[in-house]
Amino acid sequence: MTPVELSRTVLRAVRRAVDDGELDVAVPGQTSVTPPGPGGCGDYATNVALQLARPAGQPPLRVAEIIRERLVRTDGISAVVVTGPGFLNISLRGTETALVREILRSGHRYGHADRPTDRPTDRPTDRPTDRPTDRLVQLHAPHEVRAVVVMDAVARILRSQGTLVRTSCAGRPEPEWADILGVDIDAYGTPDAPAPSDVNARPVPAAPDAPAPLDVNLRPVPAAPPADPTPLGRDAARWALLHPALHDRPRITADHLVQRESNPLFRVRYAHARTRALTRNAADLGFHAEPGDTGLRGTQAAVPETVVQDTHDTTALWHALADHPRVLQAAAAHHAPDRLARYLVTVADAVLPLLAAVLPRGAEKPSAAHRARLALAEAAGAVLAGGLSLLGIDAPEHL
């Protein structure tokens, strides 16, 4: 279903609501459907309920629910979710399989941009245009451990979106920042006259006609002294510094090392390790991943308005995986690795309930549904591994 066809489908749903007497409005001649914005999900979103709420004399959420009830019964639409003040987020049938195939084909690079691109500065989550740019982004951080780790992660994320990046620190980097925390800095000193660095310097050549570099100073709130993150080790220390928003003070405690559900880093790494274990276990049982129908999403019941949700409903996981490219674009545009860290927690929490349903039980034979569930789990594992890598954190095969 194309966006034009989906727009017409939305208007037909409005027409049916008017004919049924649930909405008393003039059906608009057209409405737009666009990729979901921040906080949205699915393939497309529309604000038609917000447009009709005032003339209908009803709250936007009520109008959205009236339209949603009719859209979910439409062929080609698999799910409709209302978010925010009344946005309708629409998922199309068949897109789930294509999404999993794309993720498995791209692996850890799913969501990466192959070439530098121009993006509108006022809409950082928009999809990139096709116009390449060689503009260099010069990141500069004060001589402080959190600022340097944040800069390192921002550089990784920007490079994943095709941006040329050079990093510098106000002073000579401490040896443990590289040896323990894995920080990679191109130079130290002032941004306009940096001294050469001993930390794996990587000068970035700019094209002769490239625009002037974009200077970005990163100054996140530092950890309260005398907190030292290095005793936590690379993975826990980087997570402790990157997971909080840049305006929040990070907690440098041993809580980041505990292997329990209350530790979000553990949940993310555990979910990845479980997906890898499922791949090994499936190979032992003689089957492999094949994208397709998992049989786990909500299905229509005998009463058309009713949606029966399976215990392992994967709707939230599909939406989270589809959002990965937009999350990377937003994290790059806002220089905010915490957005990526929190997103990985969302993916982990969405995939963990699925994992118990991937392998056959007892005398059950592996079916197409089991292969599809394994493919979905592997896709989630690839997204988790790729995201952790951009944060400079290891994604373990065993945990």
Side-chain angles (χ1 to χ4, degrees):
M1 186 181 299
T2 67
V4 172
E5 293 170 335
L6 181 57
S7 176
R8 293 171 182 164
T9 299
V10 171
L11 293 177
R12 284 195 292 269
V14 173
R15 167 60 65 187
R16 290 198 299 273
V18 171
D19 293 343
D20 293 343
E22 293 203 56
L23 288 179
D24 183 13
V25 295
V27 179
Q30 62 182 8
T31 189
S32 62
V33 293
T34 60
C41 58
D43 300 302
Y44 295 98
T46 177
N47 65 349
V48 67
L50 301 175
Q51 297 172 355
L52 298 178
R54 182 181 293 274
Q58 300 191 50
L61 287 174
R62 174 57 186 159
V63 176
E65 184 58 29
I66 291 172
I67 300 173
R68 188 199 73 81
E69 291 173 354
R70 287 154 178 82
L71 282 175
V72 295
R73 289 178 266 164
T74 303
D75 289 341
I77 293 178
S78 61
V80 182
V81 177
V82 179
T83 60
F87 292 103
L88 288 159
N89 298 262
I90 304 168
S91 297
L92 304 180
R93 294 192 186 278
T95 57
E96 297 92 344
T97 299
L99 172 65
V100 173
R101 290 189 187 279
E102 178 185 356
I103 296 174
L104 294 182
R105 180 177 63 252
S106 302
H108 296 181
R109 290 186 55 80
Y110 168 61
H112 289 209
D114 292 331
R115 300 185 63 190
T117 53
D118 286 332
R119 291 179 177 81
T121 56
D122 59 335
R123 297 185 64 187
T125 57
D126 281 355
R127 293 183 179 180
T129 65
D130 293 327
R131 293 176 293 135
T133 175
D134 292 325
R135 188 175 195 180
L136 173 69
V137 174
Q138 170 70 60
L139 300 178
H140 187 70
H143 188 266
E144 189 275 321
V145 63
R146 189 188 188 199
V148 169
V149 170
V150 167
M151 179 176 66
D152 181 75
V154 170
R156 293 167 184 258
I157 295 171
L158 284 170
R159 288 173 180 133
S160 80
Q161 299 305 291
T163 303
L164 298 174
V165 182
R166 189 170 188 267
T167 60
S168 62
C169 177
R172 180 185 292 272
E174 302 299 326
E176 58 267 26
W177 294 356
D179 299 339
I180 299 177
L181 301 181
V183 168
D184 196 0
I185 300 174
D186 295 323
Y188 68 90
T190 60
D192 54 342
S197 172
D198 295 332
V199 185
N200 190 24
R202 257 187 350 273
V204 180
D209 57 347
L214 174 64
D215 292 327
V216 178
N217 288 298
L218 297 171
R219 294 184 177 275
V221 174
D228 178 12
T230 55
L232 297 179
R234 172 171 174 163
D235 296 330
R238 289 183 70 103
W239 182 269
L241 297 171
L242 296 174
H243 181 253
L246 302 190
H247 55 75
D248 291 334
R249 193 173 299 279
R251 294 182 306 105
I252 309 301
T253 70
D255 291 344
H256 297 290
L257 296 172
V258 298
Q259 296 192 7
R260 63 169 66 110
E261 189 177 352
S262 60
N263 180 2
L265 173 60
F266 171 71
R267 295 207 305 276
V268 171
R269 301 177 81 217
Y270 175 72
H272 173 264
R274 284 287 309 278
T275 64
R276 301 303 302 145
L278 286 173
T279 299
R280 296 190 296 269
N281 294 338
D284 293 339
L285 294 175
F287 75 99
H288 61 276
E290 180 60 39
D293 183 6
T294 64
L296 295 179
R297 293 197 62 167
T299 55
Q300 294 294 332
V303 180
E305 290 82 3
T306 303
V307 176
V308 179
Q309 297 293 337
D310 188 275
T311 305
H312 305 290
D313 181 24
T314 57
T315 303
L317 178 57
W318 291 115
H319 292 162
L321 297 180
D323 279 344
H324 185 53
R326 284 191 291 272
V327 170
L328 290 184
Q329 291 173 16
H334 294 284
H335 311 127
D338 57 287
R339 293 189 178 208
L340 176 57
R342 292 193 299 272
Y343 164 78
L344 294 180
V345 177
T346 299
V347 174
D349 290 344
V351 74
L352 283 170
L354 162 73
L355 303 182
V358 171
L359 298 179
R361 298 181 179 180
E364 188 180 11
K365 299 294 185 182
S367 65
H370 291 114
R371 292 191 289 273
R373 296 170 197 173
L374 178 61
L376 178 56
E378 289 185 355
V383 167
L384 292 172
L388 287 171
S389 175
L390 290 177
L391 297 178
I393 297 173
D394 178 54
E397 294 279 321
H398 306 269
L399 190 63

